[in-house]
Amino acid sequence: MDQTERLTEYVLNEKFENAGETTQQKLKTALRDIIACTIAGTQTPAAKIALKVARVHWGKGRSTVFLEREGLSPMGAAFVNAVMANALDLDDGHRLTKGHPGAVIFPAVLAAAEEREANGRQFLDALLAAYEVSIRAGILAHGLRPEYHCTGSWGAIGAAAGAGKLLGLTSEQLAHAMGIAEYHSTYSPMMRCIDVPAMVKDGIGWGCMTGISSAYLAEQGFTGIPSLFSFPRAQALLEDLGTLYQVERLYYKPHACCRWAQPAVEALRQLKERHPFSPSGVRRMVIHTFAESARLQHTPPKNTEEAQYHLFFPAACYLVYGEVGPEKVLRRLDDPLVLRTMEKCSVTVEDELNAAFPAKALSWVEVELEDGRVLKSPTCQAAGDYDYPLSEEELRAKYFRLTEPLIGREHASRLQDMIENLEELDHIRSLTEMLTIAQGRTMANAGSAD
């Protein structure tokens, strides 16, 4: 059995029920988080543009678009939902991929599951396989290629794998689907989007659409190149398939901004716990970080994307509000206190923090107060890393913080209960029906007194 065949056999044979209890729960945690991020992302400008274009050019269909009555074709729905999933930069990530697997694979798997009338267990089987393939593809891509590639470039391979499993592809067809996805996926210059933030957002929407499209093409006999898993370097990543689950090593983001900015936010949190101070009491603040983090924006943000790919805005927001939520990056860009606090910020790149990246994203902050005190935080990683995890209470709080404003507390609670028992669903549409506008926003209006 060659490497590609080994991978395709894993995908076709992976079962949620065969994974251990820890893996099963981690997968449900990931699902709950990405659903919440997608619901919250419906309110962003990027999501609204994506939906408008998809309606015109992909046309109506039976695949669900979050909080919308009218469905789209599987490719259209996957594209729009993926844009929504990443639009607030709150979605899951994996340190060694330097990207966001959940946002690119989940919408593809969901659309394919709806189209093929899958049940909850079949959906979970495919989602688990897609996570494992996409994360390994991301690790492998960065090991084989010198550039920094966005999520869409490798996530499309996982999306093709998950969708292909649900479509019932053969091993040969699945290999072609992953090869098509790799060849057609975005090969995006990620750091240019750091320098000039835009709605292209890690190539996630296009990568998701490419992944599910590749599965449908392969089903009809379209052929692709051997995927990057055919390279010898992939062998080590395939040996632990089905035994070491990378889904257990996802990170979850408490703040609506680039992960590279969040270690500094965590450093400020720890510093304020030990030495309480107010934003007005700050004379200057220096963020000590790694080179990629230092390239994030420094000037006042003009739009949501600039606010998210920013180093100083999240830090200033945290000092002023104690959090960096959707409201801040959507509607508080011109907050005068936040902008004044930003003016006091500067950044320094540290060699030892560079050396730790990407396995660790680390920062520390130094704050000089108006009373003359100079406070220094410890070196911090962002909260939510798999080895510095958010608690279950914090993860649930994030879920309700993102969903309740849009669908109401009661509906959000029922949706959470369904996610926790998803393997019992006879049809995945029991889930997607709870995500449409008829159920969602109507429930939000009815539940506004909660």
Side-chain angles (χ1 to χ4, degrees):
M1 184 181 295
D2 65 19
Q3 290 177 188
T4 299
E5 187 178 0
R6 180 174 182 177
L7 179 63
T8 59
E9 289 302 309
Y10 160 74
V11 173
L12 295 178
N13 292 319
E14 179 63 278
K15 299 287 186 184
F16 173 77
E17 64 187 20
N18 294 338
E21 185 176 343
T22 298
T23 302
Q24 292 176 355
Q25 190 54 54
K26 292 291 186 181
L27 184 66
K28 290 182 179 180
T29 297
L31 178 59
R32 180 182 63 194
D33 190 79
I34 198 62
I35 285 176
C37 291
T38 309
I39 289 171
T42 61
Q43 61 191 310
T44 62
K48 292 171 183 174
I49 294 170
L51 178 59
K52 182 177 181 180
V53 170
R55 278 178 171 161
V56 172
H57 296 286
W58 267 297
K60 293 181 181 179
R62 297 183 63 243
S63 296
T64 297
V65 176
F66 273 53
L67 303 196
E68 294 293 330
R69 278 196 183 89
E70 290 187 350
L72 293 172
S73 69
M75 276 75 85
F79 170 70
V80 175
N81 288 334
V83 171
M84 291 174 174
N86 181 248
L88 285 168
D89 214 351
L90 272 161
D91 45 312
D92 68 46
H94 189 281
R95 281 260 53 87
L96 297 182
T97 68
K98 297 189 282 188
H100 304 275
V104 74
I105 63 168
F106 161 67
V109 173
L110 185 68
E114 281 191 290
E115 200 269 334
R116 290 304 164 95
E117 307 288 338
N119 60 36
R121 191 173 295 276
Q122 290 167 327
F123 168 81
L124 289 170
D125 294 344
L127 186 67
L128 180 57
Y131 263 114
E132 297 307 307
V133 171
S134 65
I135 292 171
R136 285 168 171 81
I139 295 170
L140 185 57
H142 284 96
L144 291 170
R145 303 167 182 163
E147 308 98 316
Y148 180 178
H149 330 289
C150 71
T151 296
S153 69
W154 48 263
I157 302 171
K165 180 177 175 67
L166 284 161
L167 298 185
L169 301 190
T170 66
S171 179
E172 182 180 4
Q173 289 173 325
L174 192 59
H176 282 298
M178 291 189 288
I180 297 165
E182 181 188 350
Y183 197 85
H184 285 166
S185 66
T186 62
Y187 194 64
S188 307
M190 182 63 195
M191 294 309 294
R192 286 172 60 191
C193 192
I194 298 300
D195 295 335
V196 185
M199 292 179 181
V200 292
K201 286 282 185 73
D202 229 34
I204 283 173
W206 209 255
C208 178
M209 183 277 297
T210 300
I212 189 171
S213 299
S214 298
Y216 279 106
L217 284 167
E219 184 183 33
Q220 296 302 317
F222 201 94
T223 59
I225 61 169
S227 79
L228 51 76
F229 285 100
S230 62
F231 285 91
R233 191 165 183 166
Q235 183 173 351
L237 288 168
L238 299 178
E239 289 176 351
D240 58 11
L241 276 170
T243 55
L244 190 156
Y245 284 93
Q246 292 290 342
V247 72
E248 296 184 20
R249 299 188 175 187
L250 293 172
Y251 65 69
Y252 298 99
K253 300 171 72 172
H255 306 294
C257 61
C258 179
R259 190 62 169 176
W260 298 346
Q262 297 198 22
V265 176
E266 176 63 14
L268 286 172
R269 185 192 70 79
Q270 294 192 25
L271 198 62
K272 287 195 69 174
E273 279 188 353
R274 300 175 187 182
H275 310 281
F277 59 90
S278 67
S280 59
V282 175
R283 179 179 297 164
R284 67 178 183 90
M285 180 170 67
V286 182
I287 298 173
H288 299 259
T289 191
F290 50 99
E292 288 83 353
S293 173
R295 278 179 68 171
L296 294 167
Q297 298 293 293
H298 299 165
T299 56
K302 299 184 291 293
N303 53 52
T304 295
E305 285 68 40
E306 288 189 4
Q308 292 171 318
Y309 287 114
H310 211 290
L311 185 60
F312 298 161
F313 183 80
C317 268
Y318 185 80
L319 284 181
V320 173
Y321 293 107
E323 57 101 16
V324 191
E327 170 72 15
K328 308 304 180 294
V329 299
L330 287 170
R331 290 177 279 274
R332 297 294 180 92
L333 305 183
D334 57 354
D335 186 299
L337 183 53
V338 171
L339 295 177
R340 287 198 299 272
T341 304
M342 282 175 52
E343 292 173 355
K344 303 173 183 179
C345 296
S346 62
V347 60
T348 297
V349 175
E350 302 287 352
D351 289 342
E352 64 270 23
L353 304 184
N354 275 340
F357 184 79
K360 295 282 187 181
L362 304 172
S363 301
W364 61 278
V365 297
E366 179 181 353
V367 177
E368 181 182 353
L369 301 179
E370 292 290 355
D371 62 14
R373 287 182 295 158
V374 177
L375 309 177
K376 295 182 180 181
S377 77
T379 299
C380 294
Q381 64 188 108
D385 280 355
Y386 87 94
D387 55 350
Y388 184 39
L390 300 176
S391 67
E392 176 59 19
E393 290 74 21
E394 289 172 317
L395 288 167
R396 286 181 184 273
K398 175 188 174 182
Y399 168 83
F400 283 108
R401 190 166 64 247
L402 296 182
T403 58
E404 187 174 353
L406 291 167
I407 65 174
R409 181 77 181 195
E410 181 182 351
H411 193 71
S413 295
R414 291 199 292 117
L415 177 59
Q416 177 184 240
D417 291 342
M418 181 173 287
I419 294 167
E420 291 181 352
N421 297 284
L422 198 69
E423 67 272 30
E424 299 175 9
L425 291 188
D426 293 331
H427 202 299
I428 196 63
R429 289 195 184 275
S430 298
L431 173 67
T432 56
E433 285 172 2
M434 296 192 73
L435 302 174
T436 65
I437 188 170
Q439 290 288 329
R441 287 177 181 162
T442 301
M443 288 299 300
N445 295 335
S448 59
D450 289 352

